[in-house]
Amino acid sequence: MADTRIPHQPLKLLDNKTEHKFALPAKCIHDGEDVSFFLTTKAYSDIMTFLFQLNASMFPRKATQEDSVSQTVEAWKLNDPRVPLSPITLKLSQLLEKLASFIDEVPPDTGPRRFGNVSFRKWYELVKERLPALMDEYLPAEILALGGGDSEGTSAKTELEAYLYGSFGSSQRLDYGTGHELSFLAFLGCLWKLGAFPRTESGVEERGIVLGVIEPYLQLVRRLILTYTLEPAGSHGVWGLDDHSFLPYIFGSAQLSPAIRAPADIPAEGSLPNAPNPPDVAKADVVGRERKTNMYFNAIGFIYDVKRGPFWEHSPILFDISGVKAGWAKINKGMLKMYNAEVLSKFPVVQHFPFGSLFAWEKDPAALAINASVHTTSQPTRQTTVTQSRSAPLRDAMQEGMRAPWAGAPTWSTAGTAAPWATTRAQLPVPDGPNQPTRAPWVSATAVPPPASGNATAAPWARSGRKPPRKPPA
């Protein structure tokens, strides 16, 4: 059954017949009320449209043989030679390789440190110094020059540089997170709107963007994290999906979903035949094999590279998601909803996202009003600062679905989720003993507490009843 809420039209191109005034992207989100407004803006609608567009391109495709009733299925893998890369895609890949080479010029500091390595600031300054020239070298001159003749001298290059520069982490906090990943997605979205990518058959160019640009970007970021021991930015701790990234789980689950003929056919459940099973993420040998071809397992593999111990213990949300019995398409749908709730609706993540002319801080005429939700009621306000829960109410996020201007009437809840210590209902039993897990604040007060062995908190759409093994999986 296809999800009719998913837009089937690609992100609109900038109208080159009218004069466009570019602007230096600036911070507009200062408190929780601004987050609510952001969810009604053109920028939000464009981000989600572009994300759905890229996601749909990664679903396997059904192809009918000429002069035959037989069908073949094409699935897309990492480093797949069948995926054509346009000249601009190849240039962007080369730009990322150039940025990665700067790491060799700035080795990590060997002195004592508690958090991120201070040499990351030197790498960041090196990028800031050389980025304008690199953009001139690797991006189309006719794109960069758009708007450069106005009185303020603001060109397309100004906006592109702001998003690209914000894609690699914070040199001040020595961290990296999904907000920086969002900035890179916006950078690619800007290029799309400016017409930098060629118009091809639906999904072809988008597939090249994911495998030829986003995947190399993720590899660069992972190298930065390992080299300079970057901290997670805005991490939920053990109750987060991933310390640093989100996009590879969206695109990677799409790779393993059932084949479709067109974006309108995206199913709500099922898996590609011969795809690895979702529970295989807890098997190191399977992850080691599948990470070479799949973005989801590649991201899981990076977790294995940097964390020790049982998978269900250090990544309980991903472990619970692996218990989904409805297949990778169900996981993909849930990941999109979670991205909306855990990235785009969270103040700590989007507060640094800048808005210019291409991703505009303007009300979308097609957007419906957003009521206070469980995601925005816990955000800072201009009048008072509210301590934000370490973990979002994922259950409510999944049940309410994703609000978008093109998705019909919203179903946001008007009541926030109370912390266990702020409710009038019966208190949850406090876990006791060295082996007891910490209860997530959004677990229902009526829920049965976990046994002594500890159950990971289930993702709302992962109601498999799956329990962690008593011993680490082989």
Side-chain angles (χ1 to χ4, degrees):
M1 179 178 179
D3 188 345
T4 56
R5 294 177 301 176
I6 296 178
H8 306 144
Q9 297 300 319
L11 185 61
K12 292 183 179 180
L13 301 180
L14 194 67
D15 187 357
N16 55 12
K17 296 181 181 179
T18 60
E19 184 176 350
H20 182 83
K21 185 176 182 180
F22 291 91
L24 178 65
K27 177 183 174 72
C28 294
I29 298 178
H30 302 281
D31 57 27
E33 293 179 1
D34 292 334
V35 176
S36 295
F37 179 77
F38 166 60
L39 298 175
T40 69
T41 62
K42 294 180 179 179
Y44 169 82
S45 179
D46 287 345
I47 289 169
M48 292 304 298
T49 298
F50 191 55
L51 178 60
F52 276 126
Q53 182 180 346
L54 297 177
N55 179 66
S57 74
M58 295 307 298
F59 273 71
R61 287 294 196 273
K62 296 178 182 178
T64 302
Q65 300 284 352
E66 293 184 6
D67 302 326
S68 174
V69 294
S70 63
Q71 291 184 345
T72 59
V73 172
E74 287 187 294
W76 324 108
K77 300 179 180 181
L78 297 179
N79 303 312
D80 195 333
R82 297 172 304 150
V83 177
L85 301 182
S86 63
I88 178 63
T89 302
L90 290 172
K91 283 289 187 179
L92 288 170
S93 177
Q94 293 168 7
L95 171 59
L96 293 169
E97 289 179 8
K98 189 68 174 180
L99 294 172
S101 69
F102 296 167
I103 299 177
D104 299 327
E105 299 183 40
V106 188
D109 185 78
T110 57
R113 63 186 182 279
R114 183 178 179 185
F115 298 112
N117 196 292
V118 294
S119 289
F120 178 64
R121 291 174 179 149
K122 300 177 183 178
W123 180 88
Y124 210 83
E125 285 299 317
L126 201 62
V127 172
K128 183 177 181 180
E129 175 187 339
R130 300 178 182 179
L131 192 56
L134 290 174
M135 293 180 67
D136 290 336
E137 180 179 356
Y138 292 103
L139 296 181
E142 62 275 15
I143 296 294
L144 298 178
L146 290 174
D150 61 23
S151 58
E152 298 180 2
T154 304
S155 65
K157 182 179 179 180
T158 304
E159 295 202 31
L160 289 167
E161 186 175 340
Y163 289 113
L164 182 57
Y165 186 59
S167 301
F168 306 110
S170 170
S171 61
Q172 179 183 5
R173 299 182 302 274
L174 301 178
D175 63 13
Y176 174 89
T178 51
H180 305 107
E181 183 185 60
L182 172 62
S183 188
F184 190 74
L185 181 67
F187 166 71
L188 296 176
C190 287
L191 285 173
W192 182 277
K193 296 183 76 171
L194 293 171
F197 296 101
R199 305 281 72 80
T200 60
E201 179 185 347
S202 176
V204 174
E205 187 62 22
E206 292 91 332
R207 202 171 299 126
I209 292 173
V210 173
L211 296 176
V213 182
I214 293 180
E215 176 60 25
Y217 162 75
L218 293 172
Q219 295 300 329
L220 166 59
V221 164
R222 289 165 187 161
R223 186 178 172 191
L224 289 172
I225 292 170
L226 291 175
T227 302
Y228 302 114
T229 57
L230 299 183
E231 291 290 304
S235 173
H236 294 305
V238 73
W239 302 114
L241 178 68
D242 186 296
D243 281 346
H244 301 99
S245 297
F246 207 114
L247 294 181
Y249 298 102
I250 296 176
F251 302 137
S253 56
Q255 285 179 272
L256 301 174
S257 295
I260 61 175
R261 289 189 181 277
D265 303 329
I266 289 181
E269 58 183 34
S271 297
L272 186 71
N274 301 321
N277 296 317
D280 289 343
V281 298
K283 301 176 181 178
D285 57 336
V286 178
V287 172
R289 180 184 72 239
E290 298 296 331
R291 69 184 299 182
K292 300 175 183 177
T293 59
N294 179 262
M295 295 181 72
Y296 193 106
F297 279 87
N298 201 5
I300 296 291
F302 182 69
I303 294 178
Y304 276 91
D305 293 340
V306 297
K307 293 187 177 182
R308 296 293 180 265
F311 184 77
W312 61 266
E313 188 173 79
H314 60 64
S315 302
I317 302 299
L318 283 168
F319 176 80
D320 268 324
I321 291 171
S322 72
V324 171
K325 298 183 181 300
W328 288 105
K330 179 71 172 180
I331 292 176
N332 179 258
K333 181 179 179 180
M335 285 293 177
L336 288 168
K337 291 180 179 179
M338 190 183 288
Y339 187 82
N340 180 74
E342 293 298 293
V343 177
L344 298 183
S345 299
K346 285 303 175 64
F347 176 81
V349 178
V350 298
Q351 63 173 321
H352 301 296
F353 185 83
F355 298 83
S357 69
L358 297 173
F359 284 94
W361 184 254
E362 298 177 10
K363 181 72 176 291
D364 184 351
L368 299 174
I370 295 294
N371 295 323
S373 74
V374 292
H375 307 295
T376 59
T377 51
S378 62
Q379 313 290 10
T381 65
R382 291 182 176 86
Q383 291 77 24
T384 182
T385 300
V386 181
T387 301
Q388 188 177 2
S389 155
R390 283 186 63 82
S391 181
L394 296 180
R395 180 192 299 111
D396 292 343
M398 295 301 174
Q399 290 178 346
E400 72 193 12
M402 179 181 54
R403 204 240 36 105
W406 24 257
T411 56
W412 300 98
S413 169
T414 56
T417 300
W421 35 260
T423 180
T424 57
R425 296 174 293 179
Q427 286 284 6
L428 287 172
V430 179
D432 188 21
N435 297 320
Q436 292 288 353
T438 302
R439 297 287 286 174
W442 35 269
V443 174
S444 170
T446 59
V448 178
S453 60
N455 269 341
T457 301
W461 35 277
R463 298 187 179 91
S464 61
R466 188 164 180 246
K467 297 181 179 180
R470 293 184 179 274
K471 295 182 180 180

